[in-house]
Amino acid sequence: MKQVRIVAVGRIKTPHWLAAIDFYRKRIATPMRLDEKVVKDADPSLPMAKRLEKEAERLEALCRFGEETVVCLDERGKNMTSPAFAAWLTTLWDADRPPVFIIGGAFGIGPSLKAKTTHSLSFGAMTLPHELARVVLYEQLYRAESILSGSGYHHE
């Protein structure tokens, strides 16, 4: 079975983001085993660099670097089309190196963790709120599955 893990900072609190994630998660559930772990945001009174460091430690503890392809979501990462993303996921699954996508908090992903990741992926040059980035990731996973299965959701 195809596996994908998502490791993110902060639980989603806004109802419309929760609804959007639930919408795509339900559609992904059958063709793909999806696991999401959430770590607590660091103390907001800490300086930004210290917050990033604390959150990076929490995220890193949930990654299996020797077994998975660790991918951080970052606006400076690689851009892919949806069909290229679907093809890339297939190569990871075929190589038995399932992806784990890391989504940072309000300030992104700490540099120590970024340096350890296998890949960096961007959904565009603009900065997205981390909650919206999670929605976009779920939608793109659903889209990738629809491309691979030929369901017709994706149009070229």
Side-chain angles (χ1 to χ4, degrees), residues 81-82 85 123 135-145:
T81 64
S82 294
F85 181 65
F123 292 138
V135 173
V136 173
L137 176 59
Y138 273 96
E139 192 280 336
Q140 284 301 300
L141 289 168
Y142 174 65
R143 183 175 296 275
E145 184 54 41

Side-chain angles (χ1 to χ4, degrees), residues 4-76:
V4 173
R5 286 191 338 108
I6 299 169
V7 179
V9 173
R11 64 183 182 84
I12 304 287
K13 300 171 192 100
T14 310
H16 59 272
W17 297 139
L18 283 168
I21 287 170
D22 191 48
F23 177 84
Y24 292 111
R25 184 184 290 143
K26 285 178 182 172
R27 281 152 184 78
I28 294 169
T30 302
M32 203 181 291
R33 189 170 133 227
L34 188 61
D35 177 42
E36 182 177 357
K37 301 288 185 209
V38 176
V39 301
K40 187 177 176 186
D41 298 87
D43 183 345
S45 68
L46 292 172
M48 185 180 66
K50 194 69 175 166
R51 277 184 80 169
L52 283 170
E53 181 184 320
K54 290 284 186 195
E55 291 172 354
E57 289 170 4
R58 293 173 184 163
L59 292 166
E60 186 176 339
L62 295 175
C63 295
R64 299 185 291 254
F65 288 94
E67 304 167 30
E68 301 171 310
T69 301
V70 183
V71 183
C72 72
L73 297 185
D74 182 23
E75 71 267 15
R76 289 171 292 284

